[in-house]
Amino acid sequence: ITITDNESAPTVTLSTSASSVAENGSNLTLTATLSGATSEDVTVTLTGTGTSTAGTDYASLSTITISAGSTTGTTTFNPTDDSIYEGSETAIIAITGVSGGSATESGTQSKTITITDNESAPTVTLSTSASSVAENGSNLTLTATLSVATTADVTVTLAGTGTSTAEVDYASLSTITIAAGNTTGTTAFNPTDDSIYEGSETAIIAITGVSGGSATESGTQSKTITITDNESAPTVTLSTSASSVAENGSNLTLTATLSGATSEDVTVTLTGTGTSTAGTDYASLSTITISAGSTTGTTTFNPTNNSIYEGSETAIIAITGVSGGSATENGAQSQTITITDSLSAPTVTLSTSASSVAENGSDLTLTATLNRQTFEDVTVTLTGTGTSTTGTDYASLSTITI
């Protein structure tokens, strides 16, 4: 005799005790439920998919056994706590196999569980291995540090400001990559040596971008690095293209020379003393400008020709001021230039207004004449001889002043 069953073959559904759990939270319960009891044990196989990973984000899933005569069976969903920020992840738990008691899956059974992270999203800070470096010194290390590791690479972009210039005073800055699972990444700060005096300069290195792993900058991060110069502040010396020039001769060149180039224009002020006079015996002196990056600058010494005999005169040209580029005068700098006269020394001739005069007549005029002007008074002394007597036949003679 065949006894037919009035119950249908059972089907299995799946449920969870909660749809969300913290990664450091308590276990959830996964329950497989039969539509009706059966005479055999029913084994339900589960598989997890989603953004989470079985064995990493939660313990490997056990099969569920529904004992013969029962309608439910359970297993645990055990989230795994870690120290890496991952954000919220999903575990999609699905029935992938049913065996025993002629049971089958009821349609397609799955449950989505959200595993929330107990770490906050990471923030990035910036540090430097030193706050000062010589321009010819070794590289410094810039370090970006995450408050907590994350599951993705984090890229930190840097930019430099301050009185220094990237690609001139230091090499271009590379981005910093903090590899997934790590908390730090580094790049080099590479100062550039040059032959120009710039004094100490600042490089203000700031975070200008953070991407990956939900990381963000911690407030406003920047580090100031002082780049010290390995050149001394420059000093200025003065030279002339010649130490003597005729007053009707060609211009001379006055040269100001720096001991080393600097990053700014240097202005050198000159003043003339001596027996000559600026603006009369030579043109007024211009300042000398030594352009940034150069070591020399020039101006002209322009003697003035005139028709007055002055003899040789001296022009003592001295530096009386230096400004720009931290430059200073090297001790006391001066050059003496002799201006020679283009004219011969003057000669004196004597003349009289008449060659004869009555003893009771009017005075005659005696005239001393220079063949050219001179820069000083000329005194001409006269003496009388002949058959007449000075002081008796004519008044004593006075000197003539020209």
Side-chain angles (χ1 to χ4, degrees), residues 21-399:
V21 63
E23 67 176 9
N24 63 340
S26 300
N27 294 346
L28 302 186
T29 300
L30 297 170
T31 301
T33 302
L34 287 173
S35 57
T38 184
S39 58
E40 294 179 341
D41 290 350
V42 175
T43 301
V44 180
T45 304
L46 303 176
T47 300
T49 58
T51 58
S52 62
T53 303
T56 300
D57 300 304
Y58 55 93
S60 296
L61 298 167
S62 299
T63 57
I64 299 175
T65 298
I66 306 173
S67 299
S70 297
T71 56
T72 61
T74 63
T75 191
T76 58
F77 179 85
N78 181 7
T80 302
D81 191 14
D82 58 32
S83 59
I84 298 176
Y85 177 78
E86 302 157 304
S88 292
E89 297 178 291
T90 57
I92 303 172
I93 310 302
I95 294 175
T96 54
V98 177
S99 63
S102 299
T104 57
E105 181 180 5
S106 178
T108 300
Q109 293 290 308
S110 69
K111 291 296 176 181
T112 299
I113 299 171
T114 300
I115 306 171
T116 58
D117 209 319
N118 64 327
E119 284 85 28
S120 299
T123 57
V124 184
T125 56
L126 182 67
S127 62
T128 173
S129 57
S131 60
S132 178
V133 63
E135 67 176 10
N136 64 339
S138 300
N139 293 350
L140 302 186
T141 300
L142 298 171
T143 302
T145 302
L146 288 175
S147 57
V148 63
T150 184
T151 54
D153 289 352
V154 175
T155 301
V156 181
T157 304
L158 304 176
T161 57
T163 58
S164 61
T165 305
E167 298 183 20
V168 175
D169 300 303
Y170 56 93
S172 296
L173 298 167
S174 300
T175 57
I176 298 175
T177 298
I178 306 173
N182 292 330
T183 56
T184 60
T186 63
T187 191
F189 179 86
N190 180 7
T192 303
D193 191 15
D194 57 33
S195 59
I196 298 176
Y197 178 78
E198 301 155 304
S200 291
E201 298 179 291
T202 57
I204 303 171
I205 309 302
I207 292 176
T208 54
V210 177
S211 62
S214 299
T216 57
E217 183 178 5
S218 179
T220 300
Q221 293 289 311
S222 69
K223 290 295 173 182
T224 299
I225 298 171
T226 300
I227 305 171
T228 58
D229 210 319
N230 63 328
E231 285 84 28
S232 300
T235 58
V236 184
T237 55
L238 183 67
S239 61
T240 175
S241 56
S243 60
S244 178
V245 62
E247 67 176 8
N248 63 342
S250 300
N251 294 346
L252 302 186
T253 299
L254 298 170
T255 301
T257 301
L258 288 175
S259 57
T262 183
S263 57
E264 297 180 339
D265 289 353
V266 175
T267 301
V268 181
T269 304
L270 303 176
T271 300
T273 57
T275 58
S276 61
T277 303
T280 301
D281 299 304
Y282 55 92
S284 297
L285 296 168
S286 299
T287 57
I288 297 175
T289 298
I290 305 172
S291 298
S294 297
T295 56
T296 60
T298 63
T299 191
T300 58
F301 179 85
N302 181 6
T304 303
N305 194 21
N306 58 36
S307 59
I308 299 176
Y309 177 79
E310 300 160 304
S312 291
E313 296 177 292
T314 58
I316 303 171
I317 310 301
I319 293 176
T320 54
V322 177
S323 63
S326 299
T328 56
E329 183 178 4
N330 185 355
Q333 291 289 312
S334 68
Q335 293 293 326
T336 299
I337 299 170
T338 300
I339 305 171
T340 59
D341 209 316
S342 59
L343 305 172
S344 302
T347 57
V348 183
T349 56
L350 183 66
S351 61
T352 177
S353 57
S355 60
S356 176
V357 62
E359 65 178 4
N360 63 344
S362 299
D363 291 349
L364 302 184
T365 299
L366 297 172
T367 301
T369 302
L370 290 173
N371 65 338
R372 61 176 52 88
Q373 294 173 306
T374 185
F375 66 102
E376 292 181 331
D377 291 351
V378 175
T379 300
V380 182
T381 304
L382 303 176
T383 300
T385 59
T387 58
S388 61
T389 303
T390 300
T392 299
D393 299 305
Y394 55 91
S396 296
L397 297 168
S398 301
T399 57

